[in-house]
Amino acid sequence: MVGIITYGAYIPRYRIKVEEIARVWGANAAEISGGLGVFEKAVPDYDENTATFAVEAARAALARRAVDVSEIRAVYVGSESHPYAVKPTAVTVGEAIGATPVMTAADYEFACKAGTAAIQTSMGLVASGMMKYSVAIGADTAQGAPGDALEYTAAAGGAAYVIGNDDPIAEINDTCSFTSDTPDFWRREGEDYPRHGGRFSGEPGYFKHVESAAAMMMERRGTRPSDYDYAVFHQPNAKFPQKAAKTLGFTPEQIKTGLLAPRLGNTYSGAVPLGLAAVLDVAKPGDRIFVTSYGSGAGSDAFDITVTEAILDKIDRSKAPSVESMLAKKKYLDYAVYARHKGKIKV
Amino acid sequence: MTVARFWRRIPQRYNLVGTKCNTCGDVFFPPRAFCPHCRRGGDLQEIQLSGKGKVLTFSVVHSASDQYSDQKPYVLAIIELEEGARMTTHIVCEPDEVYIGMPVRSVFRVLDEDGTDGVIHYGTKFVPDE
């Protein structure tokens, strides 16, 4: 069955605390952290962007398992912060992992769910027999306008998945999506920062799509929340996934491992891929994982995943850094240096 | 750097592909087409370098050229790779972290870019290997 052959993650080492951002903008830090459940977020280095995250994550995946890169025939990178408006990030990844030139490649954009869209595309290509391996990546250096509500959470990071059906470490039993034209968050061509529908982005955006896709998946599979060991939901903050999980009937214990937002922020296209990577870092054979992403605009992709015996003997998870180890290795920036890192200071 | 000059160097910049002389065993990075020791007796072939090495010597650059001025102060070092080749490279770390003999590993980073509307030059830098 089609599934995850190997996986890799990347989180940059810099952080800024929500209270430091609040200090600059005269906001109440305790109220913001309390409302979002986010205390700090990851910030890229000067010389990092979505392409460097994607390459580091893909190389981490290949370090864990010796995949014949000549059999990788597709690379898809999902992001809303591709370094070029025109010129694919995916070809840089393909070149950097040695998979070029006999492969196809494209960049995806669907707000925060472009990474899971890449996983779905890869599943189709592999399951149809068109290729042995396809690489799906979700990575972002998310943008938030200075002082905007998004600035407290817009973070940086990504994860990569090699999809195939040759002894996967986790089988993807099923996937389904729920999609509609809902303008809850957008960025127009040429604009530096996105705009959003504020508090209206919750109910008609996140909750409607996540809960519908999740319910549809459990109906298709004939499962209940208690059938799963772990659940990962898109995490624009820590509160939304907790609320959606509760409504659907998942326990705080089930979502704890994949809930990175309090210490990482919202890595947009990287968020669900990183949450799933954190689960795979500790998962055992037989563990069942429920995953639902969300991308504004809007849509959700749900996945039902079962970890296999191959996670014990076909990959060496210690050959690449775990999500937890990258979250622990951090250096705090003040707002001024953070603004310089993010290119917010125009000279 | 012109666009063509950059893209001809993508294999060596992204993936640390050097050359090794099968006659004397020396490894070169950037790759050489000709062994300076064995000359006509040289036999060069491409080699994928591991990206692991150690710092031989370094400078902390406080007065940078325009394209790197937003990164100053930064560490520029000569490192020796496991395979024996030596190269000049950025070490991504705080200036007070670097020391002679420090183990390093390669990472994929932006080296520089041709302005805000030009090509982004990606390539290899090194970080402390902890």
Side-chain angles (χ1 to χ4, degrees):
Chain A
M1 184 186 280
V2 64
I4 297 163
I5 298 298
T6 179
Y7 71 101
Y10 185 80
I11 297 170
R13 76 187 283 215
Y14 293 101
R15 304 283 182 281
I16 185 167
K17 290 186 172 170
V18 162
E19 63 185 68
E20 171 66 4
I21 301 173
R23 179 184 69 82
V24 170
W25 298 109
N28 183 329
E31 201 172 81
I32 291 170
S33 277
L36 299 170
V38 174
F39 302 94
E40 58 194 50
K41 66 168 191 172
V43 179
D45 206 342
Y46 300 113
D47 53 1
E48 292 183 307
N49 62 23
T50 292
T52 67
F53 295 161
V55 168
E56 289 291 332
R59 285 180 173 172
L62 297 174
R64 287 189 164 121
R65 186 168 185 167
V67 171
D68 178 0
V69 290
S70 70
E71 294 282 3
I72 293 173
R73 296 293 167 87
V75 177
Y76 295 99
V77 181
S79 180
E80 59 163 67
S81 54
H82 290 291
Y84 290 90
V86 179
K87 188 188 176 307
T89 306
V91 294
T92 303
V93 176
E95 198 79 44
I97 62 172
T100 50
V102 185
M103 54 167 255
T104 184
D107 287 357
Y108 277 176
E109 187 279 314
F110 195 146
C112 299
K113 84 161 190 80
T116 55
I119 292 174
Q120 289 179 322
T121 305
S122 295
M123 288 173 65
L125 292 168
V126 169
S128 66
M130 283 176 68
M131 58 187 64
K132 192 168 178 188
Y133 302 125
S134 172
V135 175
I137 300 171
D140 255 307
T141 51
Q143 315 99 345
D148 186 86
L150 292 173
E151 194 184 23
Y152 294 97
T153 54
Y161 290 84
V162 178
I163 304 298
N165 55 16
D166 177 16
D167 244 337
I169 59 163
E171 292 182 339
I172 305 176
N173 306 314
D174 199 3
T175 181
C176 65
S177 299
F178 186 89
T179 307
S180 74
D181 188 339
T182 305
D184 59 329
F185 171 103
W186 60 90
R187 179 167 64 84
R188 295 281 301 273
E189 185 72 46
E191 295 294 320
D192 287 338
Y193 300 109
R195 288 181 57 192
H196 51 89
R199 64 195 173 90
F200 295 106
S201 65
E203 287 303 332
Y206 183 89
F207 294 105
K208 178 181 166 188
H209 293 79
V210 167
E211 288 165 15
S212 298
M216 188 170 26
M217 173 56 78
M218 285 188 275
E219 194 182 330
R220 280 162 69 111
R221 305 302 300 171
T223 51
R224 291 169 302 174
S226 57
D227 293 328
Y228 298 92
D229 299 280
Y230 299 97
V232 181
F233 294 99
H234 178 53
Q235 35 205 280
N237 50 55
K239 290 296 160 95
F240 276 23
Q242 287 172 320
K243 189 175 168 208
K246 192 175 176 190
T247 305
L248 287 160
F250 289 91
T251 64
E253 199 54 38
Q254 284 170 297
I255 64 168
K256 193 174 138 195
T257 307
L259 186 58
L260 311 175
R263 293 180 290 159
L264 177 64
N266 179 8
T267 51
Y268 288 48
S269 303
V272 156
L274 276 167
L276 177 57
V279 170
L280 291 173
D281 281 343
V282 297
K284 303 182 300 296
D287 281 348
R288 200 149 172 196
I289 309 168
F290 191 85
V291 177
T292 307
S293 65
Y294 174 69
S296 289
S300 277
D301 303 327
F303 300 84
D304 178 317
I305 297 170
T306 305
V307 178
T308 72
E309 293 285 338
I311 202 161
L312 297 180
D313 56 4
K314 297 293 182 194
I315 68 167
D316 184 348
R317 286 182 275 188
S318 70
K319 291 281 188 193
S322 68
V323 170
E324 192 53 48
S325 71
M326 288 186 283
L327 280 175
K329 190 179 157 191
K330 59 192 173 185
K331 185 175 167 55
Y332 289 105
L333 301 178
D334 62 24
Y335 191 91
V337 179
Y338 151 80
R340 194 176 141 206
H341 272 248
K342 291 283 288 173
K344 291 187 185 209
I345 299 173
K346 305 283 185 199
V347 286
Chain B
M1 181 182 285
T2 63
V3 170
R5 192 172 152 205
F6 170 67
W7 94 49
R8 278 197 296 270
R9 290 182 180 176
I10 280 179
Q12 72 192 56
R13 286 192 161 205
Y14 285 17
N15 286 326
L16 282 180
V17 175
T19 50
K20 180 177 183 176
C21 175
N22 288 324
T23 307
C24 68
D26 269 13
V27 176
F28 305 103
F29 187 88
R32 283 180 182 267
F34 183 78
C35 177
H37 315 300
C38 306
R39 308 187 72 82
R40 271 187 297 177
D43 171 22
L44 287 159
Q45 71 171 85
E46 281 194 351
I47 175 174
Q48 174 63 58
L49 302 166
S50 68
K52 298 253 188 188
K54 63 175 196 279
V55 173
L56 287 182
T57 185
F58 66 91
S59 288
V60 177
V61 179
H62 291 274
S63 180
S65 58
D66 286 352
Q67 75 218 86
Y68 299 120
S69 66
D70 62 345
Q71 295 180 35
K72 70 179 189 288
Y74 62 86
V75 178
L76 200 64
I78 296 174
I79 64 165
E80 185 169 275
L81 295 167
E82 275 179 352
E83 294 83 358
R86 293 177 176 190
M87 62 184 285
T88 305
T89 181
H90 283 242
I91 309 289
V92 185
C93 67
E94 298 300 322
D96 58 4
E97 287 177 83
V98 66
Y99 60 91
I100 289 170
M102 182 172 77
V104 291
R105 63 179 172 84
S106 60
V107 291
F108 190 80
R109 297 282 178 129
V110 175
L111 300 182
D112 55 62
E113 52 186 52
D114 185 15
T116 55
D117 61 352
V119 169
I120 301 168
H121 302 137
Y122 294 100
T124 303
K125 292 186 182 181
F126 287 78
V127 295
D129 188 14
E130 295 156 343

